[in-house]
Amino acid sequence: MSLPPGVPFALLRAPGVCSSLPLGIPTLHKRTPTPPFGAAWPVKRGESVMNMQTEDDKVVFVNDRGTVMGRVSFPMDDDGVANFNETYVEPSERGTGLAGRLMGQAARHLRFAGVKARATCSYAQRWFQKNPQYSDILVAE
């Protein structure tokens, strides 16, 4: 199976089998898999489709016209720790849970990469308090 350039993972879509492990190694579970890192994950919103895109230092949510509707930025600090320094959602998307989905994708991305993080953005700080299952990626301050 060949993978698209820049995408190190494949997502299997067989009944009852899904994977976000390297090279499409199947795992069985009932939850919807997260998208492969660096790949777009389409989300239907009414008539349009939006894509969540994971990059090395940010996760963005883009509509079908290419407009960024939300983003979470986590650039690396000099000490090698990712810094959640910005969470932004367009006013038309606020209150839909988009920021939480972006944070969840970013936290899973950093966990898989083995990167520690700190939260300097106020939304990110509250999100980590409400989602203690991701506290393992936070550095002690």
Side-chain angles (χ1 to χ4, degrees):
M1 171 190 316
S2 83
L3 300 174
V7 178
F9 302 98
L11 182 65
L12 297 179
R13 290 188 176 222
V17 177
C18 58
S19 175
S20 58
L21 296 174
L23 304 178
I25 299 167
T27 58
L28 294 174
H29 55 74
K30 294 180 181 179
R31 295 185 65 195
T32 303
T34 58
F37 299 119
W41 187 252
V43 177
K44 291 187 179 183
R45 306 276 295 195
E47 295 286 325
S48 64
V49 173
M50 300 179 125
N51 293 303
M52 189 176 294
Q53 301 169 351
T54 304
E55 300 176 20
D56 288 341
D57 63 348
K58 64 185 167 200
V59 176
V60 295
F61 210 56
V62 182
N63 69 10
D64 55 354
R65 295 181 182 154
T67 304
V68 174
M69 302 303 288
R71 71 180 168 274
V72 171
S73 299
F74 45 93
M76 289 289 191
D77 285 344
D78 292 336
D79 58 358
V81 175
N83 180 5
F84 283 96
N85 64 356
E86 178 190 32
T87 304
Y88 177 77
V89 174
E90 284 290 323
S92 64
E93 296 296 316
R94 291 181 185 163
T96 64
L98 177 56
R101 290 193 305 274
L102 290 167
M103 283 295 301
Q105 177 63 19
R108 286 187 297 274
H109 172 72
L110 293 176
R111 178 187 279 163
F112 186 83
V115 175
K116 293 291 187 178
R118 69 175 50 94
T120 57
C121 163
S122 60
Y123 180 84
Q125 291 169 351
R126 287 190 310 274
W127 187 87
F128 278 108
Q129 289 172 352
K130 292 178 181 178
N131 295 275
Q133 67 270 28
Y134 293 105
S135 63
D136 59 304
I137 69 167
L138 292 175
V139 294
E141 294 288 336

